[in-house]
Amino acid sequence: MIEAAGRFAPSPSGPLHIGSLLAATASYLDARSRGGRWRLRIDDLDSYRIVAGAEDSILEALENHELNWDGPVIRQSERLDHYQHALDALADMGQVFYCSCSRRDLRGTPIYPGCCRSQTKPVADAAIRLHVGEAEVAFTDLIAGKQSDRLAHSCGDFVIRRRDGLMAYQLATAVDDGDPTITHVVRGGDLLDNTARQIHLMSLLGLSVPVYAHVRTLLSEDGKKLSKQTHARALDNATAAANLVETLVFLGLTPPHDAARWSPSEVLEWAIGHFEVDTVPSGTVIYRRGPVF
Ligand SMILES: [Zn+2]
């Protein structure tokens, strides 16, 4: 039997904030409460979004919160051959085509209309899309429940290699999360929409599909997703235990009233003993700054 393993996969586009810590903590607790391993992967493919120093700051924040990962840090930028291999395999299956549409051509069409589907031979200056056909993906999310997605109606033929030559997020993530050593993917609820595309890719590539669980998305008071782009405040490592306690409350737990004064490892130890993924709330919630106690 394969040992359980989860992963946390931040992109180095800024420091961790409370929303990313929530995903990290949830994934860590899920893995540890199963007696499994917890891996750290840096999703650094999109060189345009990388911020100098962000990876170091993420590692430092995780260390300060005593969210200790197993094994070496994995970087997507060091795994390009795996993604190329997957892309070649999809091309061999006749599942891909070359899309010359500009962003402007596709403006106002959220679902790709299929105009380049006949371009099955390589052309210069084109994105590569996956022909989704009538694919329908059903899965049960441990937190969000039963999901079903007919890709042609939700996203259409999606990009797996960008026009600028970068491997697309969907393909790289499917290859990495489809590794048989990853059994559970616990991540932010904003990624639930992406899951069917990734499962579809994993199925085509003969990879192992992990179990998914999507935690709540934290919103700022104006209703936008808390993110680096909406200037979410960087975590203060000096209040690591209190930060962890905040995330536990969003995971539906009720830590003891003095837990914010414990060490981070004591908070995590308590939480491992109390975490139950099927009682974690789903959906979105407004994050109001300030201590919860
Ligand atoms: Zn096109």
Side-chain angles (χ1 to χ4, degrees):
M1 201 181 115
I2 294 172
E3 189 190 10
R7 94 294 184 278
F8 177 52
S11 60
S13 54
L16 291 188
H17 52 79
I18 192 75
S20 35
L21 184 69
L22 174 62
T25 308
S27 155
Y28 176 89
L29 295 177
D30 181 72
R32 294 297 193 231
S33 64
R34 295 175 197 281
R37 291 161 64 79
W38 190 60
R39 309 297 306 271
L40 175 62
R41 185 178 83 220
I42 302 291
D43 282 5
D44 59 352
L45 278 188
D46 190 345
S47 45
Y48 301 104
R49 292 183 59 216
I50 294 176
V51 170
E55 182 184 319
D56 287 345
S57 140
I58 290 169
L59 300 188
E60 191 186 346
L62 292 173
E63 283 164 359
N64 276 279
H65 289 76
E66 298 190 47
L67 289 162
N68 300 318
W69 60 90
D70 296 305
V73 176
I74 301 156
R75 289 183 190 80
Q76 287 195 321
S77 58
E78 295 166 2
R79 293 177 45 77
L80 297 179
D81 51 336
H82 295 264
Y83 313 138
Q84 185 62 50
H85 183 74
L87 189 62
D88 293 344
L90 294 168
D92 288 346
M93 289 175 221
Q95 299 280 345
V96 309
F97 62 92
Y98 294 79
C99 171
S100 314
C101 300
S102 67
R103 201 166 282 182
R104 195 172 172 179
D105 296 334
L106 298 176
R107 194 172 293 156
T109 49
I111 296 177
Y112 181 71
C115 22
C116 301
R117 251 178 228 151
S118 60
Q119 287 196 139
T120 54
K121 296 272 176 286
V123 289
D125 193 25
I128 301 180
R129 288 181 183 269
L130 186 79
H131 186 188
V132 299
E134 289 305 306
E136 187 168 1
V137 177
F139 64 100
T140 300
D141 186 281
L142 292 183
I143 296 172
K146 279 195 187 330
Q147 310 289 321
S148 173
D149 191 332
R150 187 174 286 254
L151 295 175
H153 296 175
S154 61
C155 60
D157 300 336
F158 58 93
V159 173
I160 52 175
R161 197 201 70 188
R162 292 169 19 170
R163 193 176 185 148
D164 58 15
L166 289 180
M167 292 296 172
Y169 163 78
Q170 306 294 355
L171 181 67
T173 304
V175 169
D176 290 343
D177 289 341
D179 187 285
T181 62
I182 299 294
T183 60
H184 291 74
V185 170
V186 182
R187 59 185 180 182
D190 55 307
L191 295 169
L192 182 60
D193 283 358
N194 291 266
T195 308
R197 274 172 271 178
Q198 292 164 17
I199 291 177
H200 182 54
L201 283 169
M202 290 168 179
S203 306
L204 288 172
L205 292 165
L207 302 174
S208 53
V209 179
V211 174
Y212 286 92
H214 287 84
V215 299
R216 290 161 125 179
T217 307
L218 300 190
L219 306 178
S220 58
E221 299 208 26
D222 59 2
K224 295 203 178 90
K225 185 202 154 204
L226 216 60
S227 71
K228 290 145 193 166
Q229 288 72 37
T230 55
H231 308 293
R233 194 169 45 161
L235 286 174
D236 180 356
N237 291 330
T239 59
N243 301 340
L244 289 170
V245 167
E246 281 198 272
T247 66
L248 300 186
V249 173
F250 288 121
L251 294 173
L253 294 169
T254 311
H257 62 90
D258 59 344
R261 294 195 295 275
W262 300 352
S263 71
S265 62
E266 287 168 333
V267 174
L268 291 170
E269 197 179 322
W270 178 90
I272 290 167
H274 290 80
F275 181 80
E276 283 179 57
V277 72
D278 33 357
T279 61
V280 173
S282 64
T284 58
V285 61
I286 305 266
Y287 176 68
R288 293 192 165 79
R289 285 181 184 187
V292 285
F293 293 104

